[in-house]
Amino acid sequence: MTKQVILTGIRANNDLHIGNYFGAMLPIIDMAKTRSDEFDINLFIPDLHSFTTPIDHSTLNESIMNNARVFVAAGLPLDNDAIHLYRQSYVPAHSELTWIADCFTGMGEMGRMIQYKEKSYKSGEDQVSVGLFNYPVLMACDILLYNAAYVPVGDDQTQHLEFTRDIAERMNNRFGEVFTVPEPVVRQHAFFGKDQGLRIKDLLDPSKKMSKSDETGKGVIFLSDDPEVARKKIMGATTDDKANIQYDKVNQPGIANLIDILALLRNTSPLEVEAEFKGSQRYGDFKQVVADEMAEFLRSFQERLQSVDDQLILHKLETSEAAMNDVANSTLLRVQRAIGLRA
Ligand code: TYM
């Protein structure tokens, strides 16, 4: 029997932040470390997704390599044939399948995607690219090409995951079983031991998610942040005037966010962290604990990043890309046959 596939992609623009790390990277790396005998693990760099919004192209190649280094520093084992690390654009089937899937996707359905709505609302429709408009189709193909069942992503990608299931079911209904439909979102959460998707909030404005595209970077903790700078960002996090530590995402989103962050750093649950600090009025003391543990996390992560071996990474990329072209091409051929492009 073929193994089920766990797959995720993390874009290479700007620096990665703790939302990317805890939302997607750590869950798949944990699986890679503990369950690669039961599952194939695909961690890829969606480089074609990097310029759906404008970027500095002169640094793209280095950012792609840096992403791979970050995955290794975060613990991704390279010496395991069940674990695949690859760059999307090195597997041309992603683009080919996307064109096909585009033709079975409605304009209205893409127009309803929250990320597109938000960005096009901010800048005006003429200022956003067609690539931004249909990138959920590319994302769906990233998943469907490899028959993935489980896709660890942060909460902001849930709608895209649902679309992936929709397009797979739509094409299966019309053409027979061409795609493996990924597991429904609730089962995904259960599989990764969560009750909902993760959304780390901006430290200064906890009503919005921590995001790479934040211009100031003041509310974002990047994996490359100097530990002392990160410490200051935590100490300056927006909280509230209730003087009462409790895990209440609605009324105390700033404190709840810090509780989430500390729970992730300690690999425990928010409720356990809440129990330790509950009722305390001293936000400063609590922030100090979070700041210390964050600084220590960054220090040890950055030390590991210094010692990763680029040659090993390049070798892994090339080996995985060869293997992934085989898998992706076989899915593409199945689809080409089903829709009448091949005999
Ligand atoms: P990207 O590169 O923007 O983000 C990578 C992952 O980080 C998660 N994330 C967060 N999680 C928790 N809190 C946050 N504040 C936070 N910010 C980001 C994202 O949810 C994501 O899981 N389209 C995807 C990349 C992609 C992909 C795929 C993912 C392309 N193809 C196929 C899975 C499968 C994206 O833009 O993620």
Side-chain angles (χ1 to χ4, degrees), residues 283-300:
Y283 287 0
D285 291 355
F286 173 59
K287 282 180 171 177
Q288 193 69 56
V289 174
V290 184
D292 285 347
E293 297 194 23
M294 178 60 74
E296 185 43 43
F297 161 73
L298 290 175
R299 224 187 320 276
S300 93

PDB file of all heavy atoms in Angstrom, residues 283-300:
ATOM      1  N   TYR A 283       1.333  42.228  34.314  1.00  0.00           N
ATOM      2  CA  TYR A 283       1.611  41.927  32.910  1.00  0.00           C
ATOM      3  C   TYR A 283       3.114  41.997  32.619  1.00  0.00           C
ATOM      4  O   TYR A 283       3.634  41.238  31.807  1.00  0.00           O
ATOM      5  CB  TYR A 283       0.877  42.912  31.989  1.00  0.00           C
ATOM      6  CG  TYR A 283      -0.630  42.715  31.893  1.00  0.00           C
ATOM      7  CD1 TYR A 283      -1.276  41.707  32.590  1.00  0.00           C
ATOM      8  CD2 TYR A 283      -1.396  43.547  31.081  1.00  0.00           C
ATOM      9  CE1 TYR A 283      -2.652  41.544  32.491  1.00  0.00           C
ATOM     10  CE2 TYR A 283      -2.770  43.383  30.968  1.00  0.00           C
ATOM     11  CZ  TYR A 283      -3.393  42.387  31.687  1.00  0.00           C
ATOM     12  OH  TYR A 283      -4.746  42.222  31.580  1.00  0.00           O
ATOM     13  N   GLY A 284       3.796  42.948  33.279  1.00  0.00           N
ATOM     14  CA  GLY A 284       5.232  43.131  33.030  1.00  0.00           C
ATOM     15  C   GLY A 284       6.014  41.864  33.363  1.00  0.00           C
ATOM     16  O   GLY A 284       6.888  41.442  32.604  1.00  0.00           O
ATOM     17  N   ASP A 285       5.670  41.220  34.498  1.00  0.00           N
ATOM     18  CA  ASP A 285       6.385  39.997  34.891  1.00  0.00           C
ATOM     19  C   ASP A 285       6.113  38.879  33.889  1.00  0.00           C
ATOM     20  O   ASP A 285       7.000  38.113  33.528  1.00  0.00           O
ATOM     21  CB  ASP A 285       5.913  39.520  36.282  1.00  0.00           C
ATOM     22  CG  ASP A 285       6.359  40.491  37.376  1.00  0.00           C
ATOM     23  OD1 ASP A 285       7.105  41.440  37.037  1.00  0.00           O
ATOM     24  OD2 ASP A 285       5.927  40.304  38.531  1.00  0.00           O
ATOM     25  N   PHE A 286       4.851  38.806  33.466  1.00  0.00           N
ATOM     26  CA  PHE A 286       4.486  37.758  32.505  1.00  0.00           C
ATOM     27  C   PHE A 286       5.228  37.981  31.185  1.00  0.00           C
ATOM     28  O   PHE A 286       5.816  37.051  30.612  1.00  0.00           O
ATOM     29  CB  PHE A 286       2.962  37.764  32.291  1.00  0.00           C
ATOM     30  CG  PHE A 286       2.499  36.838  31.206  1.00  0.00           C
ATOM     31  CD1 PHE A 286       2.766  35.471  31.258  1.00  0.00           C
ATOM     32  CD2 PHE A 286       1.793  37.333  30.111  1.00  0.00           C
ATOM     33  CE1 PHE A 286       2.340  34.618  30.246  1.00  0.00           C
ATOM     34  CE2 PHE A 286       1.362  36.489  29.098  1.00  0.00           C
ATOM     35  CZ  PHE A 286       1.640  35.130  29.166  1.00  0.00           C
ATOM     36  N   LYS A 287       5.232  39.224  30.724  1.00  0.00           N
ATOM     37  CA  LYS A 287       5.932  39.523  29.462  1.00  0.00           C
ATOM     38  C   LYS A 287       7.414  39.170  29.577  1.00  0.00           C
ATOM     39  O   LYS A 287       8.020  38.691  28.621  1.00  0.00           O
ATOM     40  CB  LYS A 287       5.798  41.012  29.126  1.00  0.00           C
ATOM     41  CG  LYS A 287       4.453  41.402  28.542  1.00  0.00           C
ATOM     42  CD  LYS A 287       4.467  42.902  28.273  1.00  0.00           C
ATOM     43  CE  LYS A 287       3.270  43.371  27.490  1.00  0.00           C
ATOM     44  NZ  LYS A 287       3.281  44.826  27.303  1.00  0.00           N
ATOM     45  N   GLN A 288       7.971  39.424  30.753  1.00  0.00           N
ATOM     46  CA  GLN A 288       9.394  39.111  30.957  1.00  0.00           C
ATOM     47  C   GLN A 288       9.679  37.624  30.737  1.00  0.00           C
ATOM     48  O   GLN A 288      10.662  37.241  30.121  1.00  0.00           O
ATOM     49  CB  GLN A 288       9.763  39.505  32.397  1.00  0.00           C
ATOM     50  CG  GLN A 288      11.246  39.540  32.676  1.00  0.00           C
ATOM     51  CD  GLN A 288      11.917  40.698  31.935  1.00  0.00           C
ATOM     52  OE1 GLN A 288      11.533  41.834  32.100  1.00  0.00           O
ATOM     53  NE2 GLN A 288      12.897  40.372  31.088  1.00  0.00           N
ATOM     54  N   VAL A 289       8.758  36.781  31.236  1.00  0.00           N
ATOM     55  CA  VAL A 289       8.934  35.333  31.056  1.00  0.00           C
ATOM     56  C   VAL A 289       8.876  34.990  29.569  1.00  0.00           C
ATOM     57  O   VAL A 289       9.721  34.249  29.036  1.00  0.00           O
ATOM     58  CB  VAL A 289       7.832  34.540  31.825  1.00  0.00           C
ATOM     59  CG1 VAL A 289       7.920  33.049  31.525  1.00  0.00           C
ATOM     60  CG2 VAL A 289       7.934  34.804  33.319  1.00  0.00           C
ATOM     61  N   VAL A 290       7.871  35.552  28.865  1.00  0.00           N
ATOM     62  CA  VAL A 290       7.723  35.256  27.433  1.00  0.00           C
ATOM     63  C   VAL A 290       8.964  35.773  26.689  1.00  0.00           C
ATOM     64  O   VAL A 290       9.528  35.076  25.829  1.00  0.00           O
ATOM     65  CB  VAL A 290       6.444  35.904  26.849  1.00  0.00           C
ATOM     66  CG1 VAL A 290       6.262  35.505  25.388  1.00  0.00           C
ATOM     67  CG2 VAL A 290       5.204  35.520  27.660  1.00  0.00           C
ATOM     68  N   ALA A 291       9.401  36.987  27.049  1.00  0.00           N
ATOM     69  CA  ALA A 291      10.551  37.591  26.363  1.00  0.00           C
ATOM     70  C   ALA A 291      11.812  36.749  26.565  1.00  0.00           C
ATOM     71  O   ALA A 291      12.569  36.514  25.631  1.00  0.00           O
ATOM     72  CB  ALA A 291      10.769  39.011  26.889  1.00  0.00           C
ATOM     73  N   ASP A 292      12.027  36.274  27.797  1.00  0.00           N
ATOM     74  CA  ASP A 292      13.227  35.457  28.074  1.00  0.00           C
ATOM     75  C   ASP A 292      13.191  34.166  27.265  1.00  0.00           C
ATOM     76  O   ASP A 292      14.179  33.769  26.659  1.00  0.00           O
ATOM     77  CB  ASP A 292      13.284  35.065  29.568  1.00  0.00           C
ATOM     78  CG  ASP A 292      13.713  36.241  30.421  1.00  0.00           C
ATOM     79  OD1 ASP A 292      14.181  37.245  29.850  1.00  0.00           O
ATOM     80  OD2 ASP A 292      13.544  36.149  31.660  1.00  0.00           O
ATOM     81  N   GLU A 293      12.023  33.509  27.261  1.00  0.00           N
ATOM     82  CA  GLU A 293      11.953  32.212  26.569  1.00  0.00           C
ATOM     83  C   GLU A 293      12.059  32.405  25.055  1.00  0.00           C
ATOM     84  O   GLU A 293      12.644  31.579  24.354  1.00  0.00           O
ATOM     85  CB  GLU A 293      10.704  31.430  27.003  1.00  0.00           C
ATOM     86  CG  GLU A 293      10.800  31.115  28.490  1.00  0.00           C
ATOM     87  CD  GLU A 293       9.821  30.073  29.015  1.00  0.00           C
ATOM     88  OE1 GLU A 293       9.323  29.249  28.219  1.00  0.00           O
ATOM     89  OE2 GLU A 293       9.576  30.079  30.242  1.00  0.00           O
ATOM     90  N   MET A 294      11.518  33.521  24.548  1.00  0.00           N
ATOM     91  CA  MET A 294      11.635  33.817  23.116  1.00  0.00           C
ATOM     92  C   MET A 294      13.095  34.080  22.749  1.00  0.00           C
ATOM     93  O   MET A 294      13.605  33.564  21.740  1.00  0.00           O
ATOM     94  CB  MET A 294      10.768  35.038  22.772  1.00  0.00           C
ATOM     95  CG  MET A 294      10.834  35.465  21.329  1.00  0.00           C
ATOM     96  SD  MET A 294      10.285  34.167  20.197  1.00  0.00           S
ATOM     97  CE  MET A 294       8.525  34.211  20.477  1.00  0.00           C
ATOM     98  N   ALA A 295      13.773  34.878  23.585  1.00  0.00           N
ATOM     99  CA  ALA A 295      15.182  35.207  23.291  1.00  0.00           C
ATOM    100  C   ALA A 295      16.018  33.927  23.273  1.00  0.00           C
ATOM    101  O   ALA A 295      16.864  33.724  22.404  1.00  0.00           O
ATOM    102  CB  ALA A 295      15.706  36.192  24.326  1.00  0.00           C
ATOM    103  N   GLU A 296      15.740  33.035  24.215  1.00  0.00           N
ATOM    104  CA  GLU A 296      16.499  31.786  24.295  1.00  0.00           C
ATOM    105  C   GLU A 296      16.217  30.903  23.068  1.00  0.00           C
ATOM    106  O   GLU A 296      17.117  30.305  22.472  1.00  0.00           O
ATOM    107  CB  GLU A 296      16.121  31.051  25.596  1.00  0.00           C
ATOM    108  CG  GLU A 296      16.909  29.807  25.878  1.00  0.00           C
ATOM    109  CD  GLU A 296      18.408  29.974  25.596  1.00  0.00           C
ATOM    110  OE1 GLU A 296      18.976  31.026  25.956  1.00  0.00           O
ATOM    111  OE2 GLU A 296      18.991  29.055  24.975  1.00  0.00           O
ATOM    112  N   PHE A 297      14.949  30.858  22.664  1.00  0.00           N
ATOM    113  CA  PHE A 297      14.564  30.081  21.475  1.00  0.00           C
ATOM    114  C   PHE A 297      15.310  30.603  20.245  1.00  0.00           C
ATOM    115  O   PHE A 297      15.890  29.832  19.472  1.00  0.00           O
ATOM    116  CB  PHE A 297      13.042  30.174  21.276  1.00  0.00           C
ATOM    117  CG  PHE A 297      12.594  29.828  19.887  1.00  0.00           C
ATOM    118  CD1 PHE A 297      12.598  28.512  19.430  1.00  0.00           C
ATOM    119  CD2 PHE A 297      12.161  30.825  19.005  1.00  0.00           C
ATOM    120  CE1 PHE A 297      12.201  28.203  18.138  1.00  0.00           C
ATOM    121  CE2 PHE A 297      11.765  30.521  17.721  1.00  0.00           C
ATOM    122  CZ  PHE A 297      11.786  29.208  17.275  1.00  0.00           C
ATOM    123  N   LEU A 298      15.311  31.930  20.057  1.00  0.00           N
ATOM    124  CA  LEU A 298      15.953  32.505  18.876  1.00  0.00           C
ATOM    125  C   LEU A 298      17.464  32.276  18.906  1.00  0.00           C
ATOM    126  O   LEU A 298      18.073  31.961  17.892  1.00  0.00           O
ATOM    127  CB  LEU A 298      15.653  34.007  18.765  1.00  0.00           C
ATOM    128  CG  LEU A 298      14.206  34.358  18.406  1.00  0.00           C
ATOM    129  CD1 LEU A 298      13.998  35.864  18.437  1.00  0.00           C
ATOM    130  CD2 LEU A 298      13.826  33.817  17.030  1.00  0.00           C
ATOM    131  N   ARG A 299      18.029  32.420  20.097  1.00  0.00           N
ATOM    132  CA  ARG A 299      19.480  32.216  20.208  1.00  0.00           C
ATOM    133  C   ARG A 299      19.857  30.799  19.759  1.00  0.00           C
ATOM    134  O   ARG A 299      20.743  30.598  18.951  1.00  0.00           O
ATOM    135  CB  ARG A 299      19.928  32.434  21.661  1.00  0.00           C
ATOM    136  CG  ARG A 299      21.192  33.266  21.775  1.00  0.00           C
ATOM    137  CD  ARG A 299      21.726  33.352  23.195  1.00  0.00           C
ATOM    138  NE  ARG A 299      20.697  33.503  24.211  1.00  0.00           N
ATOM    139  CZ  ARG A 299      20.150  34.670  24.554  1.00  0.00           C
ATOM    140  NH1 ARG A 299      20.515  35.783  23.947  1.00  0.00           N
ATOM    141  NH2 ARG A 299      19.234  34.722  25.494  1.00  0.00           N
ATOM    142  N   SER A 300      19.136  29.827  20.253  1.00  0.00           N
ATOM    143  CA  SER A 300      19.543  28.456  19.912  1.00  0.00           C
ATOM    144  C   SER A 300      19.189  28.132  18.460  1.00  0.00           C
ATOM    145  O   SER A 300      19.947  27.466  17.765  1.00  0.00           O
ATOM    146  CB  SER A 300      18.979  27.450  20.916  1.00  0.00           C
ATOM    147  OG  SER A 300      17.777  26.934  20.481  1.00  0.00           O
TER     148      SER A 300
END
